[in-house]
Amino acid sequence: MLLTRTKSKIWVHNPSSPNFSCPSFKDIQTLCSDDSISSNNSPTPTKKPNIFHRVRRVNAILRALSTRPVPDSKPESAPRKSEPLIQIPGAEKKIVIYFTSLRVIRSTFDDCKAVRTILRSFRVSIDERDVSMDAGFMEELRTILGVREKTKLSLPRVFIGGRYIGGADEIRELHEAGELKKYVEGLTPAAGFGVCQVCDGHRFILCDECSGSHKCYSEKGGFRTCTACNENGLIRCPSCYYAPF
């Protein structure tokens, strides 16, 4: 059986013809004409100010506000009264330092060591009071500074000429600025440059009555607390230590 081929006809529509219409397409010419008309009728857009112009305006406003005098809303405060000086009686011709020789807190030990080295370089009379050797020194310091018993005090604390100067930071600042030597002028010079032969520079020796045990024994009363020494069984060196004030 023979099949005959049939030529398919393709219909081409001319869009320029007035009879052309298709529901699936829009008239491009109409759209273009509408856009041109709307662009001609719309007003010219105004240009927005540049970002640099905005910054200039803000800076000009800020400068104008900063030059205006600000009225004082608060009345002038009365001058502050000077704080009373903390002094140690009987220490007008020497340096008194409260410190610790224990290495429990490394930063505190380093501060105490540095301050003692600075003060010893001036070759003046220094009364070193180690709170780790005698707890009574801490009670003295609390009484002098007027603080409560439970308040923790940082060490060291330095008094020059009977006047309270401060701690490690204040001594370092004065020494670096060259002002510390003015404070030590007129103080009693150090007695000698060597170490005490009695206490070897520790300023304390063992108690003779209890031999450092802080306990004394008697046949009638048994053991009793030694009243001649401190809680560590030590007494102040009679050769190099200063009498308490």
Side-chain angles (χ1 to χ4, degrees):
M1 182 177 179
L2 297 176
L3 297 175
T4 59
R5 295 182 179 179
T6 58
K7 296 182 178 179
S8 60
K9 295 182 179 180
I10 300 173
W11 297 92
V12 179
H13 297 276
N14 187 7
S16 60
S17 63
N19 296 326
F20 172 75
S21 64
C22 181
S24 61
F25 295 96
K26 292 183 179 180
D27 193 354
I28 299 176
Q29 293 180 353
T30 304
L31 292 175
C32 293
S33 62
D34 293 341
D35 292 340
S36 61
I37 294 171
S38 61
S39 62
N40 294 329
N41 295 332
S42 61
T44 57
T46 58
K47 293 183 178 181
K48 295 183 179 180
N50 195 0
I51 184 65
F52 296 103
H53 295 285
R54 297 179 184 177
V55 174
R56 289 180 180 177
R57 292 178 183 177
V58 172
N59 291 335
I61 295 173
L62 292 177
R63 284 195 298 268
L65 293 176
S66 62
T67 54
R68 293 182 180 180
V70 180
D72 296 334
S73 58
K74 297 182 180 180
E76 295 182 358
S77 58
R80 296 181 179 179
K81 297 181 180 180
S82 59
E83 297 180 357
L85 298 177
I86 302 175
Q87 296 182 349
I88 297 179
E92 291 78 8
K93 294 294 182 179
K94 62 183 177 181
I95 297 176
V96 179
I97 174 174
Y98 290 86
F99 72 102
T100 179
S101 58
L102 295 180
R103 303 191 181 189
V104 178
I105 302 177
R106 185 59 182 271
S107 59
T108 302
F109 174 78
D110 292 340
D111 289 340
C112 293
K113 183 178 180 180
V115 170
R116 292 172 66 194
T117 302
I118 293 173
L119 296 177
R120 287 178 178 179
S121 64
F122 293 100
R123 305 296 183 182
V124 294
S125 179
I126 303 176
D127 185 358
E128 297 181 349
R129 302 181 179 182
D130 191 352
V131 298
S132 62
M133 300 289 285
D134 191 350
F137 289 147
M138 182 59 73
E139 297 178 2
E140 289 178 1
L141 183 60
R142 294 181 188 276
T143 303
I144 295 170
L145 298 179
V147 298
R148 299 178 180 178
E149 295 182 358
K150 296 182 179 180
T151 304
K152 294 183 179 180
L153 293 177
S154 60
L155 296 174
R157 297 299 178 104
V158 180
F159 297 80
I160 299 179
R163 178 182 176 183
Y164 177 65
I165 302 300
D169 295 337
E170 290 78 7
I171 296 299
R172 287 194 183 99
E173 291 177 1
L174 291 173
H175 183 60
E176 292 175 358
E179 298 292 333
L180 188 59
K181 60 182 179 181
K182 297 180 181 179
Y183 286 85
V184 300
E185 290 180 355
L187 299 182
T188 304
F193 302 104
V195 181
C196 178
Q197 300 298 327
V198 179
C199 65
D200 197 20
H202 296 290
R203 304 295 179 92
F204 284 90
I205 59 175
L206 291 177
C207 179
D208 296 333
E209 296 186 9
C210 64
S211 300
S213 63
H214 196 48
K215 296 289 184 180
C216 295
Y217 177 78
S218 62
E219 295 181 357
K220 295 182 179 180
F223 287 97
R224 61 180 179 83
T225 302
C226 181
T227 58
C229 59
N230 59 15
E231 70 279 1
N232 296 322
L234 302 174
I235 60 174
R236 299 179 183 183
C237 178
S239 176
C240 63
Y241 215 104
Y242 297 95
F245 58 89

